[in-house]
Amino acid sequence: MWSFHAFVTRGCLRTYSIDEKGLEHIIYFAIENWWTGDRTSLLTGKPAIFNIDAVEESEVVLINKANFEMLCAHIPAFNTLISGILEKSLATMQNRITSTISYTAEQKYQQFLDKYPDMALRIPQHMIASYLGITPETLSRIRRRP
Amino acid sequence: MWSFHAFVTRGCLRTYSIDEKGLEHIIYFAIENWWTGDRTSLLTGKPAIFNIDAVEESEVVLINKANFEMLCAHIPAFNTLISGILEKSLATMQNRITSTISYTAEQKYQQFLDKYPDMALRIPQHMIASYLGITPETLSRIRRRP
């Protein structure tokens, strides 16, 4: 079970699932000043379905569920901050679903470069391919084009 | 700009984008007792990037942004309810991203049938295909298999 909300102070983490064939599928990356964690597990108390590990040497602040809820309940400004982040996460995921179901591989990669230029430089190509839901070979082909 | 939170009391709505080729991509459906709306537009006040219309004859309760925020601010139980729904929406979207980037077309359709058996009976096949990010032809092929 994933018991923490994690705030990244340095580095880069990835959240991913592993399918029955052992293939990894990256749901999202988190770099400095981003929150991460398995929200479903935190919410339901059920075992985490995602794995989280570091893409590069990282530092995170972990806040356990009880403390996190206490902060939300007692500090209105923290609650407002977290609600705002939740809303933004929802918007980001909506956009990701849109591009995943409707963009070509080229468009997906171009959107990633436009939205996350920093990440594009820091994250290994095979992980970017996994995040975009395309094969590493397809990504290489796209990158070789002028 | 999308100015309302919508609560569906009867029927079924779809939220979708239209790409530059004029193709529709359905982000989600909402049936009875679901909330819907363009959250990104509501949050930022920017023009809606999604379209919303009815798949069948429907009734919705519309609450404008100011009233919705007033309810959240003054009725703690409403705020808790909405936070819970937000968290669940996030979890649902995470799962959708996972299946979209890692499942085959067959697996995507099977998951849709398992999760939303009611919707599968009510919603036209070409819209289900659009939601799953597969062509109507692929969906027909999957459905013809024994």
Side-chain angles (χ1 to χ4, degrees):
Chain A
M1 202 180 102
W2 181 260
S3 319
F4 297 98
H5 291 260
F7 183 79
V8 184
T9 51
R10 188 168 65 85
C12 179
L13 276 72
R14 61 176 183 145
T15 301
Y16 61 101
S17 65
I18 303 178
D19 68 21
E20 64 262 37
K21 289 180 196 151
L23 288 172
E24 294 173 357
H25 304 283
I26 298 174
I27 311 303
Y28 32 69
F29 298 105
I31 55 171
E32 295 83 9
N33 300 319
W34 288 37
W35 288 87
T36 193
D38 186 328
R39 289 206 158 271
T40 314
S41 177
L42 267 167
L43 172 68
T44 60
K46 287 186 190 159
I49 57 165
F50 297 116
N51 306 283
I52 299 178
D53 62 24
V55 174
E56 53 188 57
E57 203 176 289
S58 303
E59 274 174 10
V60 294
V61 175
L62 298 177
I63 306 182
N64 72 26
K65 193 181 172 175
N67 282 337
F68 190 86
E69 284 169 2
M70 196 259 292
L71 286 170
C72 284
H74 290 89
I75 307 176
F78 186 80
N79 199 24
T80 305
L81 173 80
I82 295 300
S83 296
I85 290 171
L86 259 180
E87 288 274 6
K88 272 186 206 148
S89 303
L90 266 182
T92 302
M93 284 202 225
Q94 277 185 349
N95 290 336
R96 175 127 191 243
I97 291 170
T98 314
S99 56
T100 309
I101 64 173
S102 57
Y103 282 12
T104 63
E106 283 84 351
Q107 289 171 321
K108 285 175 195 169
Y109 182 59
Q110 191 55 54
Q111 188 191 45
F112 184 79
L113 292 182
D114 293 343
K115 285 184 97 162
Y116 308 114
D118 296 353
M119 288 195 198
L121 293 173
R122 289 164 61 171
I123 295 170
Q125 295 303 317
H126 71 277
M127 290 191 188
I128 295 176
S130 166
Y131 174 88
L132 298 176
I134 61 179
T135 63
E137 293 73 28
T138 301
L139 182 56
S140 296
R141 226 170 7 246
I142 294 169
R143 284 167 50 85
R144 274 200 307 272
R145 279 182 205 151
Chain B
M1 203 181 99
W2 181 259
S3 319
F4 297 98
H5 290 260
F7 183 79
V8 184
T9 52
R10 188 168 65 85
C12 179
L13 277 71
R14 64 177 181 143
T15 301
Y16 61 100
S17 65
I18 303 177
D19 69 21
E20 64 262 35
K21 288 180 196 151
L23 288 172
E24 294 173 358
H25 303 282
I26 298 174
I27 311 303
Y28 32 69
F29 298 105
I31 55 172
E32 293 83 9
N33 301 319
W34 287 38
W35 288 88
T36 193
D38 187 328
R39 289 205 158 273
T40 314
S41 176
L42 267 167
L43 173 68
T44 60
K46 287 185 189 160
I49 56 166
F50 298 115
N51 305 284
I52 299 178
D53 61 25
V55 174
E56 53 188 57
E57 202 176 291
S58 304
E59 274 174 11
V60 293
V61 176
L62 297 178
I63 305 182
N64 72 26
K65 192 181 173 176
N67 282 337
F68 190 85
E69 283 169 4
M70 196 259 292
L71 286 171
C72 284
H74 290 90
I75 307 177
F78 187 80
N79 200 25
T80 306
L81 172 81
I82 294 300
S83 296
I85 290 171
L86 258 180
E87 287 274 5
K88 274 186 206 149
S89 302
L90 265 182
T92 302
M93 285 202 221
Q94 276 185 348
N95 291 335
R96 175 130 192 239
I97 291 169
T98 314
S99 57
T100 309
I101 64 173
S102 56
Y103 283 11
T104 62
E106 283 86 350
Q107 289 171 322
K108 284 175 196 170
Y109 182 58
Q110 191 56 53
Q111 189 192 43
F112 184 78
L113 293 182
D114 294 342
K115 286 185 96 162
Y116 309 113
D118 296 355
M119 287 195 199
L121 294 173
R122 289 164 61 171
I123 296 171
Q125 295 305 316
H126 72 276
M127 289 191 188
I128 296 177
S130 166
Y131 174 87
L132 298 175
I134 62 181
T135 64
E137 294 71 28
T138 301
L139 182 56
S140 295
R141 225 169 11 245
I142 293 170
R143 284 166 50 86
R144 274 201 306 274
R145 280 183 205 150

